[in-house]
């Protein structure tokens, strides 16, 4: 094996995105994953690439918008380089509106979106009618055209082959590190970082999801509070997910997933008779700041962190990869202050919006 210019630890979406961005810059890349590609939350099922609401703009929302906007070209390049499908499609999202107040807020945000989303994508209130649309008490729903989907397992497999096509190494097992090291090791990485810094910087939150046998591949996904329904291009539909701070087993599904399934069928009756094909449970890495944790590992020169994707890792991945590769290989720091490790040393964990 040749000596790499940069080593990435972790074969989840952040590690793969950083490796791909570095390989595109011509660097010799070595990615080391000790268990399996997508062994953590990146091996899940849902794959919703969706934005926060277009209001109260901040660095996190701006970064996320940029990443989602670049996603179509980014994933197309991965597919071209690898020769594999990724499951990416920008088909938008429906959100039912519960009452008149929700409708009023949605219409106000539609005006904000015209500016904040730069006229490139729409957030609009439309009638909740047609095939594969959610039940809505008001008969209205939000339709945004920024939201996209990815098939997580297809996407990670395609990234592996794209990295290799650019001359990078992807090693499952262990190998020597060389050059700067980027730690993108999910929940285990948050634990290691917390121990090293002597203060918790994040934790793991359990999620559960399922795949059902329903073909709605050309339809927008559906979002309601705590519930995602994402049609995939292979003729299946993902239903999720739970967010559990306490659990008995991190990788076992239980009645909480059954409750999610029941809620999904009530919201979208066309799901009711779809057979359950696959169930999944795993831990998502959540930083205390609730933003991706990027940048230098404090007190460890030559070591960097790319962690804390939580529920938005796949959507954030294109820009995470680019800014981390720029930092590590070029010394160019474009990371928002709220994304730095130090931000998670200061923040208290709170519920995501």
């Amino acid at each position: 094996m040749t000596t790499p210019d940069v080593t990435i630890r972790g074969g989840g979406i952040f590690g793969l995105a950083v490796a791909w961005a570095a390989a595109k810059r011509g660097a010799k890349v070595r990615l080391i994953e000790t268990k399996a590609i997508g062994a953590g939350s990146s091996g899940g099922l849902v794959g919703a690439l969706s934005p926060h609401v277009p209001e109260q703009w901040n660095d996190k929302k701006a970064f996320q918008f940029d990443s989602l906007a670049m996603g179509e070209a980014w994933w197309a390049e991965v597919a071209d380089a690898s020769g594999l499908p990724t499951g990416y499609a920008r088909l938008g999202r429906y959100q039912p509106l519960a009452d008149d107040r929700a409708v009023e807020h949605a219409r106000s945000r539609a005006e904000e979106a015209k500016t904040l989303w730069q006229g490139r994508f729409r957030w609009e209130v439309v009638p909740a009618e047609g095939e594969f649309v959610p039940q809505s008490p008001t008969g209205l729903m939000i339709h945004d055209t920024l939201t996209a989907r990815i098939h997580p397992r297809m996407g990670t497999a395609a990234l592996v082959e794209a990295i290799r096509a650019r001359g990078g190494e992807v090693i499952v097992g262990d190998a020597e590190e060389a050059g700067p090291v980027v730690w993108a090791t999910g929940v285990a990485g948050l634990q290691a970082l917390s121990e090293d810094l002597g203060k918790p910087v994040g934790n793991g939150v359990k999620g559960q999801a399922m795949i059902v046998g329903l073909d709605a591949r050309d339809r927008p996904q559906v979002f309601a509070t705590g519930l995602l329904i994402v049609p995939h291009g292979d003729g299946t539909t993902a239903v999720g997910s739970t967010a559990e701070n306490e659990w008995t087993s991190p990788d076992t599904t239980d009645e909480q997933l059954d409750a999610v399934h029941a809620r999904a069928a009530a919201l979208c009756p066309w799901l009711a008779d779809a057979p359950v094909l696959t169930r999944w449970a795993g831990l998502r890495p959540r930083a205390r700041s609730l933003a991706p944790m990027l940048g230098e590992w404090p007190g460890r020169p030559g070591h960097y962190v790319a962690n804390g994707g939580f529920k938005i890792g796949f959507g954030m991945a294109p820009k995470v990869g680019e800014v981390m590769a720029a930092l590590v290989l070029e010394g160019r720091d474009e990371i928002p202050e709220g994304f730095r490790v130090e931000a998670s040393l200061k923040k208290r964990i709170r519920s995501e919006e």
Side-chain angles (χ1 to χ4, degrees):
M1 293 186 290
T2 59
T3 302
D5 298 320
V6 59
T7 301
I8 293 91
R9 285 276 187 180
I13 186 57
F14 276 9
L16 291 165
V18 175
W20 171 235
K24 287 194 295 179
R25 283 168 165 76
K28 297 176 183 177
V29 172
R30 176 174 296 163
L31 183 144
I32 305 169
E33 165 55 51
T34 58
K35 295 181 180 178
I37 299 299
S41 60
S42 296
L45 305 173
V46 178
L49 312 180
S50 48
H52 288 97
V53 294
E55 65 177 8
Q56 299 177 349
W57 212 236
N58 55 32
D59 286 346
K60 178 180 177 182
K61 291 185 178 184
F63 189 103
Q64 184 193 47
F65 173 80
D66 290 344
S67 192
L68 290 171
M70 67 191 284
E72 186 168 9
W74 195 86
W75 284 105
E77 190 175 16
V78 170
D80 288 345
S82 66
L84 295 175
T86 65
Y88 181 92
R90 193 191 301 282
L91 297 172
R93 174 180 61 171
Y94 294 147
Q95 301 178 61
L97 293 167
D99 52 36
D100 291 343
R101 184 180 180 188
V103 173
E104 181 182 352
H105 284 173
R107 286 180 169 149
S108 174
R109 289 163 177 166
E111 292 303 309
E112 291 271 17
K114 291 177 182 178
T115 300
L116 297 175
W117 289 2
Q118 304 169 11
R120 299 167 64 187
F121 307 97
R122 300 189 311 278
W123 169 292
E124 55 192 354
V125 176
V126 300
E129 48 189 45
E131 188 180 20
F132 298 132
V133 301
Q135 301 284 307
S136 175
T138 60
L140 298 171
M141 62 185 179
I142 299 163
H143 177 218
D144 85 73
T145 62
L146 174 57
T147 296
R149 66 159 192 239
I150 193 76
H151 191 296
R153 297 176 183 181
M154 289 183 183
T156 53
L159 275 165
V160 168
E161 294 309 314
I163 293 162
R164 287 173 172 161
R166 289 293 183 107
E169 298 175 300
V170 179
I171 299 168
V172 177
D174 206 356
E176 292 184 0
E177 301 166 358
V181 181
V182 179
W183 293 86
T185 46
V187 174
L190 291 179
Q191 294 171 343
L193 190 58
S194 296
E195 291 171 4
D196 184 64
L197 299 178
K199 188 174 182 179
V201 297
N203 63 333
V205 177
K206 182 178 178 179
Q208 299 184 47
M210 65 173 60
I211 289 287
V212 301
L214 180 107
D215 190 347
R217 68 184 71 193
D218 297 322
R219 304 298 298 173
Q221 60 192 257
V222 174
F223 171 73
T225 303
L227 183 64
L228 281 162
I229 299 166
V230 182
H232 284 302
D234 62 356
T236 65
T237 296
V239 177
S241 60
T242 65
E244 304 165 39
N245 290 310
E246 298 180 4
W247 60 86
T248 302
S249 173
D251 55 3
T252 301
T253 61
D254 57 28
E255 66 278 358
Q256 294 191 63
L257 183 56
D258 295 333
V260 167
H261 190 201
R263 287 176 53 216
L267 180 66
C268 299
W270 35 271
L271 278 172
D273 297 325
V276 176
L277 305 178
T278 306
R279 292 172 176 254
W280 173 88
L283 297 183
R284 303 185 183 102
R286 179 174 67 177
R288 288 177 69 91
S289 65
L290 294 178
M293 186 186 298
L294 310 175
E296 297 180 357
W297 185 314
R300 292 184 66 178
H303 289 255
Y304 300 82
V305 176
N307 207 327
F310 195 35
K311 297 179 180 180
I312 55 176
F314 275 87
M316 290 286 208
K319 191 162 184 179
V320 165
E322 295 301 318
V323 300
M324 288 301 297
L327 175 65
V328 174
L329 298 176
E330 304 166 13
R332 181 158 47 91
D333 189 343
E334 299 176 345
I335 298 170
E337 287 299 318
F339 285 25
R340 301 182 188 281
V341 176
E342 292 81 358
S344 283
L345 291 171
K346 300 173 185 177
K347 296 280 187 176
R348 295 179 60 190
I349 293 178
R350 58 179 173 79
S351 297
E352 179 65 294
E353 66 177 315

